[in-house]
Amino acid sequence: MEKQFNRQSQTKSGRSCGMEGYNFAYLDEQTKRMIRRTILKAVAIPGHQVPFGSREMPLPYGWGTGGMQITASLIGSEDILKVIDQGADDTTNAVSIRRFFSRTAGVLTTTKTIEATIIQTRHRIPETHLTNDQIIVYQVPIPEPLRFIEPRAKEVSRMHALREYGIMFVKLYEDISRHGRIAKAFDYPVLVNDRYVMSPSPIPKFDNPKMDRMPALQLFGAGREKRIYAVPPYTKVKSLDFDDYPFEVERWPQCCALCGSNNSYLDEIILDDKGSKMFVCSDTNHCNERVIKGHKGNQKEPVEEAQNSTMTGARKCA
Amino acid sequence: MCMKDSNHIPLLKVKSISKYYGRRIGCSGIEFELWPGEVLGIVGESGSGKTTLLNCISGQLEPSEGAVWYASNGGVIDMCIAPEPQRRLVMRTEMGTVYQNPRDGLRMHVSAGGNIGERLMANGLRHYGQVRRKALNWLEKVEIDSERIDDVPTTFSGGMQQRLQIARNLVTDPRLIFMDEPTSGLDVSVQARLLDLLKGLVTELDLSMVMVTHDLAVTRLLAHRLIVMKDGKAVESGLTDQVLDDPQHPYTQLLVSSILQP
């Protein structure tokens, strides 16, 4: 809890040299070349999954090995890297990957979205609009959106090739018939460039509209599944839906308790065992920037209030 | 035949189809024509190449030799050499296949409504309400309680699964249905109901059908014409009553005489 409110924007941690005995950014040059070739192909066919020879990385599959390999093969000494995990710069995954690249590539790192040239992310897209000189790298656990409904890989690749995506709508149909609405809240399937159905990685569907015609290059890496795919800048990305059940994003009953933002993705935080909770921005950088600019939420001293359990659910935003 | 007068070309024209599995013969030199509204039965003992033939003409298996001309809505195409996208489009809009085992034809973890709706959505329908309405409509047509629309097929009886398979195939109003032993594995009373339903649907929707079966009673009830197969070859063909009442080939005679008379 304490940690949540002591976030510091630790900009530009010192520039150190690459680790002794390791190549720049860990991977050897041949591997980087192979991955860059894969990325080029992926960019050329937006949304299409391109296989690549995924390497062992010094952390387990599922921790972002795919994203790290993309970052490692793109990063140059002049780049500034930001790594987020669930929107936050200070969670384990983000901290360790950021440290990995500052040690193996000696690059500058930042927590500020606007400063970064490469942003590696797990589960979120930053709230700040990305620009066309930035690259966002997604960590992807399961790249195949059709897998859970059609387990045969051969059949699935044929469906992609022939653009037979009726089955994806069967999934949405099942959701509506069971829950009365499309219940998929993350990893919500999208149609890229009117051609390929793509898994946007487990970002909340709140972030899906941000992918549409995004000025930044979007790259997706799945290390275990050995796939890379991409959405080039300014490409159309449409979330799948029905005419009578249109796609919509999450809404919250409150604003961010810290910065009062009413248009960012909020995390629900349980404060005690008496049912008190607060909603705060999941994008820590966005939240901090707003607090610095003087925006306030309904909690001025969140830690003390939390301890006293005086929070009530329905307060007005600042 | 009177059907020839109303329609000038056959719906399906099979030209000397052969399928070899290495040196083994699956089926060899089969030829027939199927006219709109006609039901063709293919009978024979197990291993005689019935299913191989059906798979070849329904585009699921590539034949070693021969051609299958299909008069689609967009013109006559050769199913054996047509490009895959075109072939698959025709197969999911104008044709349907009902398998012997419902597990091959249904998505067992998807609800009945989803199973029926899949082809509609594959053909571009993007309106939940319409998919739902059509699914309910078809459940009613195949005599499945509309309350079961959100249940998965694993909770259905064998006969219901088979009827669901039929609904799933007929929802796009196809012109041609392939059936591979649709009634085997069902008990006699359920079989009778299914056949009754099929007979009604065939006349109501003016369907053409190629039906593989080893059950001569089924063909007697449904098929207009019969092809008798043995060891991969068609040994006899003709009108159903003609073949069953006056079999010419010794094998057909054996087959007909082996039916138990109740």
Side-chain angles (χ1 to χ4, degrees), chain A residues 186-315:
Chain A
F186 67 96
D187 209 355
Y188 193 103
V190 292
L191 184 67
V192 178
N193 204 21
D194 294 323
R195 178 58 184 86
Y196 282 97
V197 164
M198 184 189 90
S199 154
S201 88
I203 58 171
K205 65 179 175 180
F206 180 88
D207 286 342
N208 274 19
K210 293 181 194 159
M211 303 177 77
D212 185 27
R213 297 184 174 88
M214 183 193 273
L217 170 63
Q218 307 177 64
L219 299 173
F220 300 78
R224 175 172 34 207
E225 302 281 332
K226 303 177 173 56
R227 293 288 185 278
I228 286 174
Y229 50 104
V231 177
Y234 306 107
T235 303
K236 185 178 170 192
V237 176
K238 186 187 179 300
S239 304
L240 301 180
D241 59 2
F242 283 110
D243 296 342
D244 47 346
Y245 284 83
F247 171 80
E248 48 192 25
V249 297
E250 299 93 330
R251 299 260 169 265
W252 288 267
Q254 296 173 9
C255 306
C256 171
L258 301 180
C259 75
S261 170
N262 61 3
N263 59 0
S264 70
Y265 186 84
L266 302 182
D267 283 337
E268 183 180 356
I269 295 172
I270 306 295
L271 297 174
D272 54 27
D273 56 1
K274 299 188 189 76
S276 355
K277 58 190 176 186
M278 66 190 288
F279 289 90
V280 294
C281 289
S282 116
D283 186 336
T284 54
N285 172 246
H286 176 75
C287 198
N288 284 344
E289 305 264 295
R290 278 177 58 87
V291 168
I292 290 167
K293 280 180 190 156
H295 295 280
K296 283 199 180 76
N298 56 20
Q299 272 181 298
K300 285 163 195 104
E301 299 296 332
V303 178
E304 281 76 34
E305 285 207 28
Q307 283 162 353
N308 299 333
S309 299
T310 53
M311 247 199 80
T312 54
R315 284 205 219 156

Side-chain angles (χ1 to χ4, degrees), chain B residues 48-66:
Chain B
S48 60
K50 305 187 298 282
T51 303
T52 298
L53 173 62
L54 191 77
N55 286 343
C56 284
I57 58 181
S58 64
Q60 297 173 68
L61 201 62
E62 196 183 339
S64 313
E65 289 163 13

Side-chain angles (χ1 to χ4, degrees), chain A residues 148-152 155 158-159 162 164-167 169-170 173-174 176-178 241-245, chain B residues 84-85 88 92 107 109-111 113-114 117-118 121-122 125-132 135 149-150 152:
Chain A
F148 289 108
I149 198 121
E150 175 56 72
R152 291 170 294 181
E155 183 67 15
R158 184 162 282 150
M159 285 171 170
L162 301 177
E164 290 178 2
Y165 291 128
I167 200 168
F169 287 88
V170 172
Y173 169 93
E174 290 289 282
I176 300 174
S177 70
R178 222 167 276 166
D241 59 2
F242 283 110
D243 296 342
D244 47 346
Y245 284 83
Chain B
E84 202 179 5
R88 282 172 70 118
R92 70 168 186 266
R107 297 195 184 276
H109 55 283
V110 167
S111 71
E118 180 177 343
M121 294 184 268
L125 186 60
R126 296 284 178 269
H127 192 283
Y128 175 82
Q130 285 173 16
V131 173
R132 188 86 177 165
I149 187 168
D150 293 329
V152 289

Side-chain angles (χ1 to χ4, degrees), chain A:
Chain A
M1 227 26 257
E2 206 84 33
K3 210 176 175 186
Q4 189 74 34
F5 305 108
N6 295 338
R7 311 168 189 146
Q8 294 276 314
S9 179
Q10 32 173 227
T11 322
K12 296 190 180 177
S13 66
R15 174 181 284 238
S16 62
C17 298
M19 277 167 83
E20 209 59 39
Y22 281 90
N23 193 31
F24 177 78
Y26 188 76
L27 291 177
D28 62 279
E29 294 305 315
Q30 275 307 109
T31 302
K32 287 187 195 170
R33 202 165 296 162
M34 176 269 293
I35 294 174
R36 284 177 204 139
R37 272 201 301 268
T38 311
I39 293 172
L40 285 176
K41 182 169 178 183
V43 170
I45 318 171
H48 173 62
Q49 302 162 45
V50 187
F52 79 110
S54 180
R55 299 290 189 256
E56 289 280 334
M57 295 300 278
L59 82 174
Y61 287 132
W63 284 62
T65 52
M68 282 174 76
Q69 289 177 72
I70 291 182
T71 305
S73 49
L74 293 180
I75 205 162
S77 53
E78 299 304 313
D79 273 309
I80 301 173
L81 179 70
K82 171 182 165 82
V83 185
I84 51 173
D85 169 13
Q86 306 270 14
D89 293 279
D90 53 8
T91 45
T92 317
N93 198 224
V95 170
S96 54
I97 292 175
R98 189 167 52 231
R99 199 174 60 125
F100 176 82
F101 282 111
S102 66
R103 281 169 66 180
T104 58
V107 292
L108 296 181
T109 62
T110 180
T111 60
K112 286 190 176 148
T113 307
I114 44 167
E115 282 180 353
T117 57
I118 298 177
I119 300 165
Q120 183 173 332
T121 175
R122 169 177 181 265
H123 291 201
R124 274 315 306 281
I125 297 174
E127 306 290 356
T128 314
H129 288 290
L130 302 183
T131 58
N132 59 9
D133 51 4
Q134 291 179 309
I135 298 175
I136 179 163
V137 179
Y138 298 77
Q139 301 170 195
V140 182
I142 293 167
E144 181 49 70
L146 304 169
R147 174 168 305 168
F148 289 108
I149 198 121
E150 175 56 72
R152 291 170 294 181
K154 196 179 163 192
E155 183 67 15
V156 161
S157 57
R158 184 162 282 150
M159 285 171 170
H160 278 299
L162 301 177
R163 211 167 149 188
E164 290 178 2
Y165 291 128
I167 200 168
M168 201 71 239
F169 287 88
V170 172
K171 179 92 177 62
L172 301 183
Y173 169 93
E174 290 289 282
D175 259 22
I176 300 174
S177 70
R178 222 167 276 166
H179 307 287
R181 63 190 168 86
I182 299 174
K184 192 131 180 87
F186 67 96
D187 209 355
Y188 193 103
V190 292
L191 184 67
V192 178
N193 204 21
D194 294 323
R195 178 58 184 86
Y196 282 97
V197 164
M198 184 189 90
S199 154
S201 88
I203 58 171
K205 65 179 175 180
F206 180 88
D207 286 342
N208 274 19
K210 293 181 194 159
M211 303 177 77
D212 185 27
R213 297 184 174 88
M214 183 193 273
L217 170 63
Q218 307 177 64
L219 299 173
F220 300 78
R224 175 172 34 207
E225 302 281 332
K226 303 177 173 56
R227 293 288 185 278
I228 286 174
Y229 50 104
V231 177
Y234 306 107
T235 303
K236 185 178 170 192
V237 176
K238 186 187 179 300
S239 304
L240 301 180
D241 59 2
F242 283 110
D243 296 342
D244 47 346
Y245 284 83
F247 171 80
E248 48 192 25
V249 297
E250 299 93 330
R251 299 260 169 265
W252 288 267
Q254 296 173 9
C255 306
C256 171
L258 301 180
C259 75
S261 170
N262 61 3
N263 59 0
S264 70
Y265 186 84
L266 302 182
D267 283 337
E268 183 180 356
I269 295 172
I270 306 295
L271 297 174
D272 54 27
D273 56 1
K274 299 188 189 76
S276 355
K277 58 190 176 186
M278 66 190 288
F279 289 90
V280 294
C281 289
S282 116
D283 186 336
T284 54
N285 172 246
H286 176 75
C287 198
N288 284 344
E289 305 264 295
R290 278 177 58 87
V291 168
I292 290 167
K293 280 180 190 156
H295 295 280
K296 283 199 180 76
N298 56 20
Q299 272 181 298
K300 285 163 195 104
E301 299 296 332
V303 178
E304 281 76 34
E305 285 207 28
Q307 283 162 353
N308 299 333
S309 299
T310 53
M311 247 199 80
T312 54
R315 284 205 219 156
K316 285 264 182 295
C317 316

